[in-house]
Amino acid sequence: MPRPRHYSPTISRFLVSVLYHEAKHQNIPMTKLTDRLLLAALRGSPGWIKATTPRLAEENTPDVPALSKAA
């Protein structure tokens, strides 16, 4: 069986239950509720900034071809 390409963390059974009931209350899918909650909680955090900032170190690494420099 091939390994997944992205890490998918396991959410505790209790939180899945809370998400289920809250999503039913709001009449939206659990995935949509989870996305909304995570976006609201993480926007502007150090992890958010790191994930959305271009990786300047990779641009200066000679082993990594820079397509933008070739153009």
Side-chain angles (χ1 to χ4, degrees):
M1 182 172 177
R3 293 177 56 144
R5 294 182 185 192
H6 299 285
Y7 173 68
S8 296
T10 303
I11 301 172
S12 70
R13 187 173 176 90
F14 172 73
L15 287 178
V16 171
S17 177
V18 172
L19 287 168
Y20 173 81
H21 292 292
E22 185 61 27
K24 289 295 181 188
H25 175 74
Q26 293 187 27
N27 198 30
I28 60 174
M30 286 175 60
T31 52
K32 192 170 194 174
L33 173 63
T34 302
D35 271 1
R36 286 180 183 176
L37 292 171
L38 290 173
L39 283 170
L42 295 173
R43 185 172 278 130
S45 70
W48 182 281
I49 293 167
K50 188 170 184 173
T52 58
T53 301
R55 296 181 182 174
L56 297 176
E58 287 182 0
E59 291 177 8
N60 296 325
T61 304
D63 296 341
V64 179
L67 297 177
S68 61
K69 292 179 183 177

